[in-house]
Amino acid sequence: MLIRKSDPNPIPSSEITPRSAYMNRRAFIAAGALGAAALAADRLAGVMRPEQVQADTKLATIQSPLSAKDLTPTSFYNITHYNNFYEFGPNKDDPARNAGKLQTSPWSVTVEGEVKKKKVFDIDALMKLRPLEDRVYRFRCVEAWSMVIPWVGYSLSEFIKQCEPTSSAKYVQFISVDRPSQEPGIEEVNLNWPYSEGLRMDEAMHPLTLLTFGLYGQVLPNQDGAPVRVVVPWKYGFKSAKSIVKVKFVKDQPGTTWNEMAPNTYGFYSNVNPNVDHTEWSQKMQRVIGAPFWKQLEPTLMFNGYGDQVASLYKGMDLNKYF
Ligand code: MTE
C-alpha cells in the first residue's frame, strides 16, 4: 500500500518479502541445551516468547470482558517484527530496526478543535486515567494479512469524555508524530506527513475502540506505536494511528493519509469487508502471520468478526459505497 519517493514502478508492499528473521541473542545464550533446541524451533516459526518481555517495561493490568477468549495471540516476535510504520521505512522489518530512534519521553497529546477548551495531556497522566485492561483482539491489515494481538489500554471513550468535546464535534482526528530527524521513513516514503486518521464520533465512542499503551503486558514497543496509539478492531489496520501527538475534534469528515493518497482504494470507513475488494487484490481471504502453513489462509470475516457489536453503527448505509 505504499509508494517510495524514488520508485518509478511502485510495488504494493504486500508483495515485498520480508528479510529473514533474527533471534534475540541474549535469550539464546541464556537458554540451556534443551532450551536452545526449543528456541531454534521457535526461530523457524518466527517466535519470541512473551516471558522474554523485560521486567522494567511491564504494566499493571486487569482482565477485560471485551477481550476475546478463544483466540491464540500471535507471537511477540511477529507482532514486533512484521510492522507497517512508514515513518520508519517501507519494509515490514524496517520499524523493528529503525524505531528505536524515536524518543517517546517526554511525550504529550494535545487536544484541540471542537472542545470546551484546548488541553494537553502528559503521557503518564494519560496512562493513569483509567485502569489498563488486557484486550486480545483480531487485527486485520488491508494487505490481507492478520494477527491476534493482546493489547493493553482502555476504551478511547474514557479519554474523549475528559476532552469535553462540544456538540459540534462529529468526527475525531488522530495525528501522529512527525520528526524526520528520528523517523527516517518520512524522507523515504511518499505520503502526506504527518500520518493522520479519523473516526466518526460514534465509532470513536464505541467501547471496543481502544486507546492503547501496551501489548503482551508491557509498554508498546516503538515499532507498534509507542507511547500511545489507537486500535479499532473492526477496521483495517491503517485506521489505527500510531504514536499520536494530537487529537482534534472536527465538524466535518477529516482528510486522512491513505484516503487522500488513493481515495478509490482506501475509503474513510475501511471496515473489514470480504465483499469489497481492494483495487489490486481480493479481501475474501487473509494470511495468518505465524500460523503453520496448513492453517495460513482463512476467510475474512465481516467487520473482522465484530459484527454483533458494531454492525448497528452502519445501519442503513450502503457499505459498498461507504467502503
Ligand atoms: N500509524 C502511523 N503513524 N504510521 C503508519 O505507517 N501504519 C498503519 C497503522 N498505523 C501506520 C500507522 C497500518 S497500514 C497498519 S496495518 C498498522 O498501523 C500496523 O500496526 P502494527 O505494525 O502494530 O501491527
Side-chain angles (χ1 to χ4, degrees):
M1 61 189 283
L2 145 92
I3 300 165
R4 268 173 226 246
K5 275 193 178 152
S6 56
D7 199 344
N9 294 309
I11 309 164
S13 54
S14 58
E15 302 295 322
I16 299 169
T17 310
R19 276 173 221 141
S20 56
Y22 69 91
M23 188 58 196
N24 179 313
R25 192 167 170 269
R26 265 183 315 159
F28 226 110
I29 293 166
L34 264 180
L39 284 168
D42 277 353
R43 184 184 184 197
L44 287 171
V47 170
M48 181 171 171
R49 292 204 167 98
E51 58 266 32
Q52 288 170 346
V53 167
Q54 299 191 2
D56 56 352
T57 60
K58 216 166 152 33
L59 293 169
T61 59
I62 56 171
Q63 265 308 316
S64 169
L66 296 171
S67 183
K69 288 167 190 66
D70 51 345
L71 299 175
T72 307
T74 304
S75 70
F76 182 83
Y77 184 91
N78 278 330
I79 293 172
T80 55
H81 288 77
Y82 194 85
N83 297 102
N84 280 338
F85 201 167
Y86 295 113
E87 284 89 331
F88 296 105
N91 302 313
K92 297 286 179 270
D93 57 351
D94 287 337
R97 259 184 298 109
N98 298 330
K101 295 188 188 102
L102 181 66
Q103 277 177 20
T104 58
S105 177
W107 194 277
S108 59
V109 177
T110 303
V111 174
E112 60 182 43
E114 301 296 330
V115 283
K116 265 195 192 158
K117 69 174 179 24
K118 184 174 165 174
K119 291 185 184 181
V120 180
F121 290 83
D122 181 72
I123 188 67
D124 294 329
L126 208 53
M127 288 177 80
K128 287 185 191 128
L129 209 61
R130 297 289 307 157
L132 298 175
E133 299 172 25
D134 285 310
R135 291 213 199 155
V136 177
Y137 281 168
R138 291 189 191 87
F139 187 84
R140 171 59 153 82
C141 180
V142 74
E143 296 160 334
W145 52 264
S146 73
M147 295 192 187
V148 172
I149 306 186
W151 299 112
V152 174
Y154 53 74
S155 294
L156 177 69
S157 62
E158 303 285 354
F159 170 62
I160 291 182
K161 284 180 212 155
Q162 302 289 323
C163 299
E164 300 185 288
T166 67
S167 56
S168 317
K170 304 292 181 223
Y171 294 86
V172 55
Q173 196 179 8
F174 306 95
I175 296 150
S176 296
V177 70
D178 182 13
R179 283 189 205 150
S181 62
Q182 296 173 15
E183 299 180 305
I186 289 181
E187 289 298 317
E188 194 183 347
V189 178
N190 186 21
L191 282 178
N192 291 336
W193 305 108
Y195 193 97
S196 88
E197 258 309 333
L199 297 171
R200 219 170 54 188
M201 273 300 263
D202 58 346
E203 297 177 317
M205 291 299 287
H206 193 282
L208 283 176
T209 305
L210 193 70
L211 193 63
T212 310
F213 303 94
L215 60 81
Y216 261 117
Q218 67 161 322
V219 296
L220 279 173
N222 280 8
Q223 59 266 40
D224 289 282
V228 57
R229 69 177 293 175
V230 168
V231 172
V232 195
W234 70 94
K235 291 179 183 276
Y236 292 120
F238 70 89
K239 294 298 290 182
S240 301
K242 294 176 165 180
S243 304
I244 294 167
V245 289
K246 195 183 284 183
V247 174
K248 202 170 168 186
F249 293 87
V250 292
K251 289 181 180 152
D252 302 313
Q253 185 178 301
T256 59
T257 297
W258 288 104
N259 186 238
E260 282 178 344
M261 188 82 184
N264 296 330
T265 307
Y266 307 110
F268 177 79
Y269 285 93
S270 285
N271 292 318
V272 175
N273 187 344
N275 308 315
V276 176
D277 288 345
H278 183 273
T279 41
E280 291 178 56
W281 56 82
S282 162
Q283 296 290 27
K284 286 204 166 27
M285 303 294 285
Q286 58 196 32
R287 188 164 57 90
V288 184
I289 301 297
F293 73 89
W294 62 93
K295 283 192 190 163
Q296 247 171 32
L297 268 189
E298 63 178 27
T300 301
L301 301 174
M302 186 68 200
F303 296 117
N304 203 23
Y306 295 95
D308 287 351
Q309 292 103 307
V310 302
S312 60
L313 295 174
Y314 309 100
K315 212 171 156 206
M317 282 177 74
D318 176 354
L319 294 181
N320 289 305
K321 184 170 167 205
Y322 298 102
F323 60 90

